[in-house]
Amino acid sequence: MFNLILFGPPGSGKGTQSENLIAKYGLKHLSTGDLLRSEIAQQTALGIEAKKVMDKGELVPDEVVIGMISSAIDNNETVKGFLFDGFPRTAAQAEALDKLLDLKKSSIAVMLALEVGEEELVKRLMKRGETSGRSDDTNESVIRARITEYHNKTTAVADYYKQFDKVTMIKGEGSIDDIFNSLSSEIDSRI
Ligand code: AP5
């Protein structure tokens, strides 16, 4: 299995690039944001609780997202590998993911981390908020709260994988095609 983490702050292009990468490499896309929005759309108890947290720009509790990822891994036994998008987002999630993959005799091959400046992130998300219907994109203070959560809790995930020499930084500003080519080169050198 080839397992990849696409990492970066809100609006850095993880979802955009994931779509192209899964098409090229045949990986299973696991986005905790998408899984949570699906729970919200179905109005499950989990979704109703998660929405309250997401609308404030804060992170959903670790046990909730780890449970979702654990089920998703178990339900996809035969895939070539996973592309994790928006997960892990805390050091505890990273440790849990390593344990889950270890049970499958697998591991993370690489974390590709998209680097984008804060004002560009805010600009992209405000623009997307005009049409996306995502309640966490419509308010600049919520967008900035998401970025603050990233700095306070999520950058620790890159530090966690750096100790195993698994992190490569990628310039996340520029054309979508150029960024895709940079990501592909890194994957091709490891796959
Ligand atoms: P999640 O759904 O993961 O959202 P996010 O991290 O905030 O990221 P986005 O989807 O907003 O951005 P992206 O990096 O995917 O960029 P995109 O490609 O869409 O999380 C939402 C919430 O769920 C969290 O706040 C949290 O509450 C909860 N959650 C999720 N996972 C969790 C976890 N593991 N633990 C706890 N809580 C969790 O691009 C953004 C925009 O920019 C698009 O409009 C796109 O068209 C545009 N764009 C992309 N690339 C470019 C480019 N190169 N140039 C110009 N524009 C571009």
Side-chain angles (χ1 to χ4, degrees):
M1 275 174 105
F2 181 84
N3 301 307
L4 158 73
I5 297 171
L6 192 54
F7 187 75
S12 55
K14 302 183 296 293
T16 304
Q17 297 295 340
S18 289
E19 279 184 33
N20 298 331
L21 291 171
I22 56 167
K24 178 166 181 182
Y25 294 101
L27 302 175
K28 174 71 183 171
H29 183 204
L30 289 185
S31 155
T32 38
D34 287 350
L35 292 170
L36 288 165
R37 281 184 288 278
S38 164
E39 296 281 341
I40 292 171
Q42 294 170 63
Q43 298 196 316
T44 64
L46 188 158
I48 290 165
E49 285 309 305
K51 186 172 187 325
K52 292 179 197 161
V53 180
M54 291 164 75
D55 281 352
K56 289 190 273 183
E58 296 172 2
L59 293 184
V60 171
D62 285 339
E63 59 273 21
V64 173
V65 285
I66 291 167
M68 290 193 318
I69 286 288
S70 174
S71 306
I73 291 174
D74 284 344
N75 291 337
N76 287 281
E77 290 280 356
T78 57
V79 296
K80 284 166 71 177
F82 293 102
L83 188 165
F84 295 98
D85 161 7
F87 182 91
R89 248 172 156 107
T90 63
Q93 291 179 24
E95 286 170 24
L97 177 61
D98 276 358
K99 284 187 190 139
L100 289 170
L101 291 175
D102 199 43
L103 288 174
K104 307 286 177 195
K105 310 243 176 306
S106 191
S107 62
I108 292 297
V110 64
M111 167 189 273
L112 299 178
L114 294 167
E115 288 185 294
V116 178
E118 178 157 342
E119 293 317 307
E120 171 71 9
L121 298 173
V122 173
K123 195 172 87 184
R124 287 184 189 179
L125 294 176
M126 291 294 290
K127 184 158 183 283
R128 186 176 67 184
E130 293 168 10
T131 52
S132 68
R134 270 181 63 168
S135 50
D136 58 349
D137 279 351
T138 48
N139 179 324
E140 183 173 339
S141 66
V142 173
I143 290 172
R144 290 199 187 269
R146 286 158 63 193
I147 295 170
T148 300
E149 280 285 83
Y150 173 81
H151 289 303
N152 289 345
K153 297 178 183 165
T154 304
T155 50
V157 175
D159 296 335
Y160 174 82
Y161 286 104
K162 272 180 195 160
Q163 62 180 323
F164 307 114
D165 213 11
K166 290 187 174 180
V167 182
T168 299
M169 309 305 290
I170 303 282
K171 184 169 166 265
E173 294 188 45
S175 82
I176 289 172
D177 285 350
D178 285 348
I179 298 164
F180 178 67
N181 288 336
S182 304
L183 293 166
S184 293
S185 306
E186 289 297 332
I187 295 171
D188 291 342
S189 69
R190 289 175 170 81
I191 209 157

